[in-house]
Amino acid sequence: VAPPVAFSVVMTGVAPAAKSAVPSVTLIVGRVPPEPETKSVDGEASQTGGQKDEPGPRTPEERVRILGDLYTRLTEAKSAENATVIQKAIERIWLHSGSDTIDVLMSRSEKVIKDGKSELALTLLDSVIKLAPNFSEGWNRRAFVHFSSGDYNRALGDLRNVLALDHKHFQAISGLASILREFGDEKSALKAYRKVLEIHPYWDSAKTAVKELSREIEGQEL
């Protein structure tokens, strides 16, 4: 059985946050082994509110196995309703840190983000990432805060780390696509959105973006 296909981001020459200076972003599809241990940027509403109540995976290996099975079921979902149920299960696994300390920090960060206190949210999420660098949702949430503050380069860096840990994290890929679109790289954004739909065929914002970008790119090439 071939190892899973990875979708990651390589950035070169990224300057401090400056929308006018477009970083060189290359999307790479390769093959890597599973990860050893252990509200999205694009604005798509998350189905998960707050921390999970159910017990999560007991080991990093179990987490990889459960997520792999759920991603397969999501890709093969026969309806939007079925996909939503599977998406909720995936998001519960994403939020499972295995640490009470990390759970408290994530819960506090969620509250201060809602209160518009982005600097405090970044301080809390910096602590999450320092304590648990293999916890992909810490990186993903910090990417959201950076994006909301207009710091697209730092958001890209955080999304790169999310995808290094979980190459099928469809929220992170969708967030990446949104940033590429902001930078005017429509072709790369379209490629990323199509990757989202390979994993989550019912992700509404990706479906809309693929339709819009396809028309834009086809019009430019005429």
Side-chain angles (χ1 to χ4, degrees):
V1 179
V5 175
F7 186 88
S8 59
V9 186
V10 173
M11 297 184 293
T12 58
V14 178
K19 187 175 178 180
S20 59
V22 179
S24 172
V25 181
T26 305
L27 307 185
I28 295 179
V29 178
R31 294 186 178 275
V32 297
E35 62 180 270
E37 293 183 357
T38 320
K39 191 170 184 178
S40 67
V41 164
D42 74 335
E44 183 85 14
S46 172
Q47 299 293 334
T48 305
Q51 298 300 312
K52 67 284 171 198
D53 296 319
E54 301 173 7
R58 291 168 294 184
T59 65
E61 293 75 18
E62 185 178 33
R63 184 180 189 277
V64 170
R65 180 182 59 77
I66 293 173
L67 268 180
D69 177 64
L70 288 170
Y71 283 137
T72 297
R73 290 170 58 193
L74 181 62
T75 298
E76 297 172 352
K78 302 301 182 185
S79 68
E81 292 77 11
N82 184 228
T84 297
V85 172
I86 300 167
Q87 178 185 329
K88 288 180 179 178
I90 289 171
E91 289 173 337
R92 283 195 292 271
I93 301 299
W94 283 348
L95 280 171
H96 180 69
S97 69
S99 163
D100 291 340
T101 299
I102 297 302
D103 288 350
V104 168
L105 290 170
M106 289 292 286
S107 181
R108 289 183 61 196
S109 74
E110 182 180 26
K111 183 179 185 304
V112 298
I113 288 170
K114 290 178 179 177
D115 292 340
K117 301 175 181 177
S118 58
E119 289 300 322
L120 179 54
L122 288 175
T123 298
L124 293 167
L125 293 169
D126 286 348
S127 297
V128 169
I129 289 166
K130 182 177 180 180
L131 292 169
N134 288 330
F135 179 49
S136 60
E137 205 57 26
W139 295 101
N140 190 50
R141 186 167 292 179
R142 195 174 73 172
F144 171 78
V145 178
H146 283 315
F147 182 86
S148 299
S149 303
D151 196 339
Y152 299 121
N153 287 325
R154 286 191 172 88
L156 277 172
D158 284 349
L159 291 173
R160 177 184 180 183
N161 282 293
V162 177
L163 295 173
L165 292 164
D166 181 356
H167 60 271
K168 289 192 175 183
H169 196 299
F170 48 85
Q171 283 189 3
I173 301 171
S174 191
L176 167 65
S178 293
I179 295 173
L180 290 170
R181 198 173 184 181
E182 286 285 334
F183 283 132
D185 190 352
E186 287 86 2
K187 288 186 177 181
S188 294
L190 178 58
K191 180 178 179 180
Y193 279 124
R194 283 175 171 161
K195 182 65 181 180
V196 172
L197 294 178
E198 288 178 15
I199 301 165
H200 191 331
Y202 299 94
W203 193 246
D204 288 338
S205 63
K207 288 194 290 185
T208 300
V210 166
K211 290 179 182 178
E212 294 173 349
L213 288 170
S214 296
R215 287 196 298 266
E216 291 175 20
I217 292 170
E218 287 168 4
Q220 293 168 3
E221 292 178 347
L222 288 177

